[in-house]
Amino acid sequence: MWTRLLQRLLILGLMLLGVSLLAFLVPYVSGGDPVRTILMSRVRDLDVDPAAVEAMRIHLGLDRPLAVQYGAWLWQALQGDLGYSFASGRPVASEIGHALGVSITLALTALGIAAAVAIPLGTLAATRPGGTVDSATTLMVQTFVATPEYWLAPMGILVFALHLGWLPSAGWTSWTALVLPATVLSLRPMAYFTQVTRAAMMDVLQAPYITAARSRGLSMRQTVMRHGLRNGSLPVVTFFALWLAGLLGGSVVIEVIFAIPGMGRLLYEAVINRDVPMLQGGFVSIVALSILINTIADMLYVALNPAVRSGHAH
Amino acid sequence: MNKTNEPLLVIEDLTVAFPGQPTPVIDGLSLTLNRGEVLALVGESGSGKSMTALSLMRLLPAGGEITGGRIRFDGEDVLSLSDRQMNRMRGGRMAMLFQQPQAMLDPTSRVNAQIAEPLRVHRGFGRRAAMERVLDLLREVGIADPAVRARCFSHELSGGMAQRVMIAAALSGDPQMLIADEPTTALDVTVQAQILRLIDEQRRKRDLATLLITHDLAVVSALADRVAVMYAGRIVEEGPAKAVLESPQHPYTQALMRCSLLVPDQSGQLLSIPGSGTHARELTCGCRFHPRCSAASQHGIASRCMRSEPALKPDADGHETRCWAVEPEKESAA
Amino acid sequence: MRIDNTSQSVAASSLLPMRPRHLAAQRLWRFLRGRHWTFRTGVVILVALVITLILAPWIAPHDPAVQNLIARLSPPSAEHWLGTDHLGRDLFSRLLVGGRFTVTIAMVTVLLSFAIGTLIGVVAGRVVGGVFDEVTMRIIDVLISIPDVVVAIFLVAIFGPGYATLIASLTVIGWTPFARLARGLTLAINAQGYIRAAEVLGCSRSFIVLRHVIPNIIRPIAAVSFLRFGHKLITVGALSFLGLGVQPPAADWALMLADAQPYVERLPILMIAPGLAIFVAALSVTWIGHGLEIEARDGDSGDE
């Protein structure tokens, strides 16, 4: 268990090194003059005078071998210095900080909605497999999985913002602006959470300790509440984390459609504006966060399960 | 309220079937259990002992269904109770112990919460009162340092300890009947005796009627007042423990006894019953034991055993046997 | 008569007359019979969809790229069955050809992920506990948590949009679920008697894998392939929607959705139609995948 975690951390470190190397190489492989691109990311107002550029190049050490440059770049990045955005001229790190806050809010809201619907629904479906609720739930899951959010979102705007006028169509100003994007974003995780909960609950409900609990006089409902849910929701924790990580950058489309200033939109605009430092910083930080969240989730899974915790798992 | 003379539990002609299986798992089983009595239900694995127990609790695994018969418990018709009434019955009036005590405890829930459940749902205990009662119960079932053990999870307990916890949970609802489904089979030999003594002690103290399911005849002789022997979903012999153990009438019971004593035969090999009982239910006519029965050939009644199934016939002492070889007039050795 | 695949009947089958060949339609019917309605509907939709997409350039009533600014944003009519878009292009014709890019990319990605993931998973499962297994599994633990859209955006930003970039970026992460599944299934197979027997008999490793392992794990993996296919359709669409997939003026469902945004109030069908197309395509493969999943789990092989 500890060796596994250690291995995991080792691979995690190597993977992050690889990802950062990829990001570091962006200016060299994306066309254009890499030196100029890099200089632009380091200095706010770049002098067009060739002599000044040359001086700056030496000053910033861009004449050193690539490996050395990578080391220096990584060191700066680790200290939170990711350079300046081409588009806004502000430090990349602080822009990412703001965007992350927005994205996490959006993702947690969406996942909260998803879990709030999925856990009871999946449990209900599992108590009567093959029943009406179960069949309807399966159909709902399949429908939600197959619905493109870039279709649902504009349709939602059309109905709730333009026709009914209940909710704002875009922006990030009040909590009402959160309702529509979070709801649309919640459907796919909701579908997967429901499936996972249902499968886990089906397993749990066949466990011997459920029969034992029933033999003590607990009703089916009490049994599920007291003994089913906790055991059945363990796998959901892992899934929640996987989705939280996925939505941090993966909600690009929703953030673009609703003009939400989150990570996804930041990354998207970096691509559109060819904003190299922003792209580098955004990519590295999303990947690093995703990996980190998942590692924490795996540890949380262990913490929630007392039997695994002390190494008694079978 | 003159119910005291009436048996506590009366099972009549109980039949339990699973869809997809051609024959019932339990086929026309009848049993009675008196107040304060210990009835042992004996048989090899697969004979339907555990299914009988689960039928009484109406907790058969998914698909299993009681297709016929009646169960009367303390004057009430168990099979016609509503779900709500049945919940009150379970844990409150009949409680159960299982074979694998550790698997029977929720791995994510503390021991005290599980023992307290019958107290809270049946006896209206508040949280604090329930926790205090749990400590008393743990002390009663012989757990040292109850305050610490109460906060354990199942994986922190040994098998014997877990069974003690299960006993505490079973007793906490103050039931009239205890169903113990092979409570010691999964435990170490040294622990088995301790657990059996605990069960015996508690049932005497509380005047608990006990249905003890086991395949261990030593356990039967130590605890049981009466014994019922089950084979392939049917009772083949039933009677006072002493009578059945000292002079078993049915060839199956006799074979079972010889096997359990681990006595060698003339050639020095340990005795065993040839064949297996797994498919015995599929016999559609004749005695279900006849393919494995030595008596059938010895008595020269094999064709009769093959043709029709004998009924349970009592002798003078209420010792009943389901076998053609046993004549009702025949004198009981007891 | 159904013939069991035992040695006896293999010997006997050579004596039997050859089974009559069925027409394709009959075979399809035999395949579908007795299965859940969602699975049948899924198969029918997918077959129809693939045929339509292949034949689209010939059956489209109009050239999907021809603009007619005079007839822009016209509602459905006899001439334009579903109306025209903001550049006067025929919506129905564009709808017919609009799935080619997305479906192709998604299909190739899934096939590649399937092949790579299964191979790695099976090998890891056969050498379980070894260095290769440990390292691969830890790499998968980490890779599986990276959102594929983000990788795709990053790679598209560097290399520009195109088939190769999109396929590569979606496969980099896409193989991981397949590998996990294949490894788990292989582990279960390892314990089976016939594998032990083959090992004792001295069969080569690759023989065992090809002959015994892969045929036995292919069904659940195929089921997952269809489920992933649906997921990929949506993801590729998302990239197109953002302008990082197919490039205009080519017709693409998701791109049509993006183009329709400003006109959605005036002519909702511009948005409803292509969205519905993606939805139906994704739903059909999801249904197929779900049907296969249930079948693989219940071990019911159905008709031959």
Side-chain angles (χ1 to χ4, degrees), chain A residues 175-191:
Chain A
W175 68 270
T176 46
L178 190 60
V179 175
L180 207 46
T183 310
V184 173
L185 206 54
S186 72
L187 295 192
R188 198 179 305 277
M190 191 187 291

Side-chain angles (χ1 to χ4, degrees), chain A residues 208-209 211-220 222 226-228 230-231 234 304-307 309-310 312, chain B residues 54 57 59 87 90-91 94 96 98 103-109 113-114 117-118 121-122 153 155 166 169:
Chain A
Y209 56 81
T211 310
R214 295 274 279 141
S215 83
R216 292 194 289 268
L218 264 56
S219 67
M220 198 62 214
Q222 286 169 318
R226 282 166 165 264
H227 301 289
R230 185 164 17 189
N231 286 287
L234 281 177
L304 275 180
N305 193 337
R309 196 192 305 157
S310 50
H312 280 257
Chain B
L54 291 172
M57 299 292 270
L59 283 177
N87 288 335
R90 292 186 201 111
M94 43 170 85
M96 189 159 173
F98 301 85
M104 289 295 161
L105 289 165
D106 177 351
T108 59
S109 175
Q114 297 179 69
E117 278 166 359
V121 299
H122 298 304
F153 290 99
H155 68 268
M166 289 300 289

Side-chain angles (χ1 to χ4, degrees), chain C residues 37-120:
Chain C
W37 66 268
T38 51
F39 180 79
R40 290 188 299 204
T41 318
V43 171
V44 171
I45 293 176
L46 186 66
V47 170
L49 183 78
V50 170
I51 294 175
T52 312
L53 289 179
I54 293 171
L55 299 179
W58 293 280
I59 57 175
H62 294 267
D63 184 335
V66 164
Q67 304 183 0
N68 179 2
L69 292 179
I70 296 161
R72 67 195 290 263
L73 297 173
S74 58
S77 62
E79 172 68 10
H80 299 288
W81 294 352
L82 293 177
T84 58
D85 70 1
H86 62 295
L87 296 174
R89 296 174 293 196
D90 181 51
L91 184 61
F92 181 65
S93 306
R94 289 178 72 72
L95 210 56
L96 286 184
V97 296
R100 296 182 123 203
F101 177 85
T102 308
V103 172
T104 311
I105 299 263
M107 205 178 280
V108 175
T109 308
V110 169
L111 283 176
L112 272 178
S113 303
F114 172 88
I116 297 171
T118 307
L119 185 71
I120 292 180

Side-chain angles (χ1 to χ4, degrees), chain C:
Chain C
M1 273 296 275
R2 209 187 137 170
I3 298 166
D4 281 321
N5 196 16
T6 63
S7 55
Q8 266 182 322
S9 52
V10 167
S13 66
S14 57
L15 301 173
L16 293 170
M18 262 174 63
R19 291 198 6 242
R21 287 179 188 279
H22 294 285
L23 294 172
Q26 269 178 309
R27 289 243 284 275
L28 186 66
W29 171 243
R30 283 170 62 91
F31 176 67
L32 294 177
R33 195 180 51 195
R35 284 171 164 86
H36 197 260
W37 66 268
T38 51
F39 180 79
R40 290 188 299 204
T41 318
V43 171
V44 171
I45 293 176
L46 186 66
V47 170
L49 183 78
V50 170
I51 294 175
T52 312
L53 289 179
I54 293 171
L55 299 179
W58 293 280
I59 57 175
H62 294 267
D63 184 335
V66 164
Q67 304 183 0
N68 179 2
L69 292 179
I70 296 161
R72 67 195 290 263
L73 297 173
S74 58
S77 62
E79 172 68 10
H80 299 288
W81 294 352
L82 293 177
T84 58
D85 70 1
H86 62 295
L87 296 174
R89 296 174 293 196
D90 181 51
L91 184 61
F92 181 65
S93 306
R94 289 178 72 72
L95 210 56
L96 286 184
V97 296
R100 296 182 123 203
F101 177 85
T102 308
V103 172
T104 311
I105 299 263
M107 205 178 280
V108 175
T109 308
V110 169
L111 283 176
L112 272 178
S113 303
F114 172 88
I116 297 171
T118 307
L119 185 71
I120 292 180
V122 168
V123 173
R126 290 295 296 162
V127 297
V128 61
V131 177
F132 177 81
D133 179 44
E134 290 289 335
V135 170
T136 325
M137 289 327 285
R138 297 297 86 74
I139 287 180
I140 290 173
D141 281 347
V142 174
L143 267 189
I144 213 164
S145 54
I146 303 174
D148 53 359
V149 182
V150 171
V151 176
I153 291 177
F154 183 71
L155 292 182
V156 168
I158 298 171
F159 300 109
Y163 279 84
T165 318
L166 284 177
I167 290 170
S169 53
L170 293 179
T171 311
V172 167
I173 309 289
W175 65 273
T176 49
F178 287 97
R180 249 192 197 173
L181 180 63
R183 177 178 176 273
L185 292 168
T186 308
L187 284 185
I189 296 274
N190 279 348
Q192 301 280 322
Y194 55 86
I195 296 279
R196 286 280 147 79
E199 283 167 349
V200 171
L201 289 172
C203 297
S204 75
R205 282 181 163 201
S206 54
F207 177 83
I208 292 178
V209 165
L210 288 177
R211 190 60 221 265
H212 294 298
V213 178
I214 294 204
N216 280 298
I217 65 172
I218 210 77
R219 278 166 174 277
I221 302 182
V224 168
S225 304
F226 276 95
L227 295 174
R228 299 305 298 174
F229 187 15
H231 182 251
K232 293 290 176 223
L233 279 177
I234 307 242
T235 309
V236 177
L239 292 167
S240 282
F241 185 91
L242 294 172
L244 304 174
V246 68
Q247 296 301 301
D252 179 82
W253 291 335
L255 202 58
M256 288 159 74
L257 271 178
D259 287 343
Q261 269 183 295
Y263 315 102
V264 63
E265 262 192 296
R266 198 167 143 194
L267 202 58
I269 191 152
L270 282 182
M271 180 156 277
I272 294 174
L276 209 57
I278 302 177
F279 171 69
V280 168
L283 189 63
S284 71
V285 288
T286 304
W287 275 349
I288 295 174
H290 189 75
L292 292 177
E293 197 178 46
I294 289 175
E295 213 162 275
R297 190 176 52 216
D298 297 350
D300 170 23
S301 57
D303 265 277
E304 280 157 283

Side-chain angles (χ1 to χ4, degrees), chain A:
Chain A
M1 142 100 223
W2 286 110
T3 49
R4 199 189 137 146
L5 190 70
L6 220 64
Q7 284 174 337
R8 176 96 182 244
L9 288 175
L10 190 73
I11 299 275
L12 192 149
L14 287 175
M15 200 75 86
L16 281 180
L17 270 181
V19 167
S20 65
L21 183 64
L22 257 177
F24 165 75
L25 289 175
V26 169
Y28 295 91
V29 294
S30 64
D33 177 7
V35 172
R36 221 186 138 68
T37 311
I38 296 168
L39 285 183
M40 275 172 70
S41 74
R42 289 290 159 197
V43 187
R44 280 165 198 257
D45 298 303
L46 190 61
D47 207 327
V48 281
D49 177 21
V53 171
E54 183 59 20
M56 194 58 83
R57 191 172 85 96
I58 292 166
H59 176 68
L60 286 175
L62 296 181
D63 51 349
R64 292 174 296 176
L66 265 187
V68 178
Q69 282 190 47
Y70 170 59
W73 178 84
L74 193 63
W75 182 239
Q76 279 180 316
L78 282 176
Q79 289 169 319
D81 178 6
L82 294 161
Y84 297 96
S85 159
F86 289 172
S88 67
R90 284 198 292 266
V92 168
S94 79
E95 296 237 350
I96 287 178
H98 285 293
L100 258 183
V102 172
S103 276
I104 288 177
T105 312
L106 178 63
L108 283 180
T109 313
L111 292 177
I113 298 173
V117 176
I119 293 178
L121 199 60
T123 307
L124 207 62
T127 49
R128 290 257 168 90
T132 321
V133 176
D134 188 27
S135 307
T137 305
T138 306
L139 212 58
M140 185 207 86
V141 164
Q142 292 164 340
T143 309
F144 284 0
V145 164
T147 307
E149 55 269 33
Y150 39 90
W151 180 44
L152 202 61
M155 301 292 272
I157 292 177
L158 182 67
V159 175
F160 294 103
L162 301 181
H163 279 301
L164 298 173
W166 291 351
L167 299 164
S169 64
W172 188 254
T173 43
S174 66
W175 68 270
T176 46
L178 190 60
V179 175
L180 207 46
T183 310
V184 173
L185 206 54
S186 72
L187 295 192
R188 198 179 305 277
M190 191 187 291
Y192 286 113
F193 286 1
T194 307
Q195 267 182 324
V196 172
T197 309
R198 178 180 176 274
M201 282 308 276
M202 298 252 296
D203 277 355
V204 167
L205 290 182
Q206 282 169 7
Y209 56 81
I210 294 294
T211 310
R214 295 274 279 141
S215 83
R216 292 194 289 268
L218 264 56
S219 67
M220 198 62 214
R221 196 190 149 85
Q222 286 169 318
T223 309
V224 169
M225 298 298 271
R226 282 166 165 264
H227 301 289
L229 275 179
R230 185 164 17 189
N231 286 287
S233 57
L234 281 177
V236 182
V237 171
T238 317
F239 243 68
F240 194 92
L242 209 60
W243 273 94
L244 180 61
L247 288 186
L248 283 187
S251 54
V252 194
V253 191
I254 291 296
E255 291 184 0
V256 169
I257 292 174
F258 287 98
I260 295 169
M263 276 312 280
R265 183 146 166 264
L266 200 72
L267 203 65
Y268 170 72
E269 284 179 346
V271 175
I272 300 297
N273 300 330
R274 304 205 59 72
D275 190 342
V276 174
M278 189 60 93
L279 186 67
Q280 290 174 312
F283 182 65
V284 172
S285 41
I286 288 179
V287 171
L289 261 169
S290 311
I291 297 175
L292 217 66
I293 290 175
N294 262 283
T295 310
I296 293 172
D298 281 6
M299 291 194 279
L300 197 67
Y301 180 83
V302 173
L304 275 180
N305 193 337
V308 182
R309 196 192 305 157
S310 50
H312 280 257
H314 302 296

